[in-house]
Amino acid sequence: YEGHLKCQAFAGARSAAFLVDGRGNDSYYATGGTATGYGTPGIFDSWSQGCADGFRLLSPGGIAAIIDGHGNDKYEAGNFSQGGGYFYGAGFIFDKSGDDHYQGSRYNQGFCAHQAVGLFFDENGNDTYRTHQGVAQGLAWDESATLFIDSQGNDSYEGGGFFSQGTAAHNSKCFFWDKQGKDTYIYKKGQGLAGDNSYHGGTSLSLFIDDGSSTDVYSRGRKNDYRTKSGKHGLFIDR
């Protein structure tokens, strides 16, 4: 599957989009051709691969989902992709099995922003999660909610520079759960962080759990069989 902008299960305002693939080793490519509004050189928007978006302050977003049954799949995308929503949108990825590779840029792999919902489920396989920049692998921003679950496999996560791997801010909630496997987490800031709430006051909740009793690798500030609290409601649990 190859596209550039708003493709591979993208839902705009008050719409629905679904891409269902039963089996096979698939490639989803949507790196974008539009320079990002954040002004980062070499980074492009794509709004693809299970992404739902609304017209901010005008019309709420829709519902979008990729459902992939079996196979070793590769997902490659620019900003705003791979299971997430923006402005009242709800985006979803469910990959049932296979050794999958996810590559994003910013707002990827279970994300949401501005009253939205992001859902990301990978059920089985030794998976690799990467980002060119950050803001990936389970995050919620501005009155939003994200659920990220990887059920089985020896997985590798690279969170980039900021706001990744189970984090929430501005009255949001994020739940990151890796159920089983010998996993590697590369992210200097640490997992399970609840950030600033200056937009609305109040609080945010972030819960990061790695289960399975296997020996995991953390780049900094976290370790096996360890629990810690960051701020008021940022929780990290390895058990």
Side-chain angles (χ1 to χ4, degrees):
Y1 301 90
E2 182 175 352
H4 296 283
L5 187 67
K6 297 184 178 180
C7 58
Q8 298 163 19
F10 168 80
R14 302 184 182 184
S15 66
F18 302 92
L19 192 163
V20 181
D21 188 291
R23 61 181 61 247
N25 301 324
D26 306 308
S27 174
Y28 300 88
Y29 181 88
T31 58
T34 303
T36 175
Y38 295 107
T40 309
I43 302 295
F44 300 91
D45 289 341
S46 62
W47 300 92
S48 300
Q49 298 177 7
C51 174
D53 175 35
F55 290 104
R56 196 170 180 183
L57 305 181
L58 296 176
S59 182
I63 299 172
I66 285 183
I67 302 172
D68 191 285
H70 299 273
N72 302 323
D73 306 313
K74 182 177 181 180
Y75 300 83
E76 186 174 359
N79 289 357
F80 302 102
S81 297
Q82 299 172 2
Y86 191 93
F87 195 66
Y88 290 96
F92 174 49
I93 278 186
F94 174 64
D95 192 294
K96 186 173 179 61
S97 70
D99 299 334
D100 305 312
H101 181 93
Y102 300 90
Q103 177 73 58
S105 293
R106 180 169 177 161
Y107 283 104
N108 295 114
Q109 302 155 21
F111 72 92
C112 55
H114 308 302
Q115 303 86 36
V117 173
L119 300 169
F120 190 106
F121 300 126
D122 190 295
E123 195 166 84
N124 195 7
N126 301 321
D127 305 309
T128 302
Y129 300 90
R130 296 286 184 269
T131 173
H132 288 298
Q133 190 176 22
V135 196
Q137 301 150 27
L139 64 111
W141 180 272
D142 187 20
E143 298 181 330
S144 297
T146 292
L147 178 62
F148 181 109
I149 298 178
D150 187 295
S151 295
Q152 296 184 32
N154 303 323
D155 307 309
S156 176
Y157 299 88
E158 184 178 334
F162 59 106
F163 210 72
S164 297
Q165 297 183 8
T167 189
H170 304 298
N171 292 44
S172 295
K173 298 176 177 65
C174 181
F175 179 32
F176 180 110
W177 187 16
D178 189 295
K179 293 184 178 181
Q180 187 176 359
K182 297 180 180 179
D183 306 309
T184 300
Y185 298 92
I186 301 173
Y187 181 56
K188 291 183 179 180
K189 295 182 181 297
Q191 295 74 29
L193 300 177
D196 176 49
N197 293 287
S198 59
Y199 282 12
H200 313 285
T203 59
S204 294
L205 171 65
S206 182
L207 176 60
F208 177 101
I209 298 176
D210 186 288
D211 270 328
S213 301
S214 298
T215 301
D216 305 304
V217 177
Y218 296 94
S219 59
R220 183 179 177 183
R222 303 289 188 258
K223 56 187 178 181
N224 288 273
D225 302 318
Y226 178 69
R227 300 184 181 189
T228 189
K229 181 180 178 183
S230 302
K232 289 186 177 181
H233 299 101
L235 303 173
F236 170 91
I237 301 171
D238 184 294
R239 58 190 181 183

